[in-house]
């Protein structure tokens, strides 16, 4: 009888809240694991799947192409914005947004409707692991998320031990062509360059993705130019002395999305920079 009363009393207790902090420092608590999650950014989709929450994701935005299972999910928007009606039709109990990619107005509308919103905002490499764990906690898949976060950290640590103290290589990371943009050390791509033992020639600029001039690139004397698209690199054919002919393309998504595949992108970037470093005839800058 006492055992029965104990079980009944435990059943009447409120469920323990699942508590996590999002990328902006806001604390979010759910009464139960989220079972219908909508992701409003491709990198957030990758984070959710890596954190073990893939079966709970019911909607994504355009360009959510990884993992392959995400491509089959309903789309609720894209670069031009989201359809709030499409989001609501999916009856989400958690929406994951990107602070730099989701309009504040859409975030406010979701919250006004009482839908829990997790704001993703990974700027530094460790932020990816933190958000993996936070999303896994909210989705009830914390053990898998912890494993994914640990593997991510371990891969980056191994790369840093291998490359960070080798001979520095001056790197220009090119985005676009006209206008010409790059990355600074305020971005996670800048962190990847540094992890690989590279010196970002525009690392000290204050904006994460500043616009630069052709003349500034020439004056910076990069030893290597990196891009995620081969087309912009062709402009340097007229400048054979720039980067000494060392220009290469890396896969776009693994280095441009602040998600778990950053470790994969870092490995490729480090390998390519190291190949330039070891070329005979190159001297330290």
């Amino acid at each position: 009888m006492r055992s029965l009363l104990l079980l009944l009393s435990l059943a009447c207790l409120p469920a323990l809240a699942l508590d996590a902090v999002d990328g902006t420092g806001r604390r979010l608590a759910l009464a139960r694991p989220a079972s219908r999650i909508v992701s409003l950014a491709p990198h957030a989709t990758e984070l959710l799947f890596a954190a073990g929450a893939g079966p709970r994701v019911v909607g994504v935005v355009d360009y959510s192409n990884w993992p392959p299972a995400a491509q089959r999910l309903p789309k609720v928007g894209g670069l031009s914005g989201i359809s709030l009606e499409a989001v609501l039709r999916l009856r989400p109990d958690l929406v994951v947004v990107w602070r730099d990619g989701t309009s504040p107005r859409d975030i406010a509308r979701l919250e006004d409707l009482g839908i829990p919103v997790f704001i993703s905002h990974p700027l530094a490499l460790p932020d990816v692991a933190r958000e993996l764990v936070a999303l896994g906690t909210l989705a009830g898949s914390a053990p898998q998320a912890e494993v994914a976060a640990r593997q991510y950290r371990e891969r980056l640590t191994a790369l840093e031990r291998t490359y960070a103290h080798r001979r520095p290589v001056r790197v220009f990371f090119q985005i676009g062509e006209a206008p010409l943009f790059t990355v600074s050390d305020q971005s996670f791509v800048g962190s990847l360059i540094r992890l690989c033992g590279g010196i970002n020639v525009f690392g000290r600029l204050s904006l994460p993705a500043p616009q630069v001039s052709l003349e500034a690139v020439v004056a910076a004397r990069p030893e290597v130019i990196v891009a995620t698209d081969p087309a912009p690199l062709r402009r340097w054919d007229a400048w054979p002395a720039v980067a000494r002919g060392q220009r290469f393309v890396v896969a776009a998504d693994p280095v441009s999305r602040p998600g778990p595949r950053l470790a994969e992108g870092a490995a490729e970037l480090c390998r390519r920079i190291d190949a330039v470093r070891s070329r005979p005839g190159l001297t330290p800058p």
Side-chain angles (χ1 to χ4, degrees), residues 18-268:
L18 300 170
D19 187 89
V21 175
D22 74 8
T24 64
R26 304 188 322 164
R27 189 167 295 279
L28 185 65
L30 301 180
R32 60 187 59 83
S35 60
R36 300 186 61 81
I37 305 173
V38 172
S39 168
L40 299 186
H43 83 272
T45 302
E46 295 192 21
L47 285 169
L48 285 162
F49 273 81
R56 298 169 181 266
V57 179
V58 295
V60 297
V61 289
D62 295 342
Y63 302 104
S64 293
N65 56 2
W66 191 265
Q71 300 179 40
R72 299 189 290 270
L73 292 171
K75 304 299 188 293
V76 298
L79 294 177
S80 60
I82 67 165
S83 166
L84 185 62
E85 292 74 17
V87 173
L88 295 178
R89 281 198 296 270
L90 295 173
R91 298 177 289 108
D93 50 14
L94 178 66
V95 175
V96 183
V97 305
W98 182 25
R99 203 201 75 166
D100 296 333
T102 309
S103 75
R105 180 171 177 269
D106 286 335
I107 295 174
R109 291 169 70 192
L110 290 166
E111 292 181 326
D112 288 344
L113 291 169
I115 300 174
V117 174
F118 180 98
I119 302 178
S120 175
H121 187 49
L123 288 178
L125 299 181
D127 295 341
V128 172
R130 282 195 288 269
E131 292 200 9
L132 276 170
V133 174
L135 290 170
T137 298
L138 296 174
S141 56
Q144 185 170 338
E146 291 281 1
V147 170
R150 184 178 71 251
Q151 291 175 340
Y152 167 83
R153 294 189 191 101
E154 289 174 348
R155 290 190 68 184
L156 291 182
T157 298
L159 290 170
E160 185 175 23
R161 288 173 178 168
T162 300
Y163 296 106
H165 303 294
R166 294 187 180 181
R167 199 272 289 175
V169 175
R170 295 176 63 81
V171 179
F172 169 54
F173 195 98
Q174 180 175 351
I175 303 174
E177 181 177 6
L180 184 62
F181 284 86
T182 187
V183 297
S184 76
D185 286 346
Q186 302 300 314
S187 72
F188 54 85
V189 181
S191 298
L192 294 183
I193 294 172
R194 188 167 56 251
L195 179 145
C196 295
I199 297 174
N200 182 358
V201 295
F202 293 106
R204 294 185 179 182
L205 297 183
S206 58
L207 295 177
Q211 183 176 348
V212 294
S213 67
L214 177 67
E215 294 77 13
V217 177
V218 174
R221 299 181 299 109
E223 293 178 89
V224 62
I225 299 177
V226 185
T228 58
D229 182 350
L233 291 180
R234 298 191 187 108
R235 77 175 306 167
W236 302 108
D237 291 344
W239 299 82
V242 177
R244 305 176 188 180
Q246 299 303 309
R247 305 157 196 156
F248 60 82
V249 175
V250 294
D253 291 348
V255 298
S256 62
R257 290 183 184 175
R261 285 195 295 163
L262 275 179
E264 174 187 324
E268 181 187 8

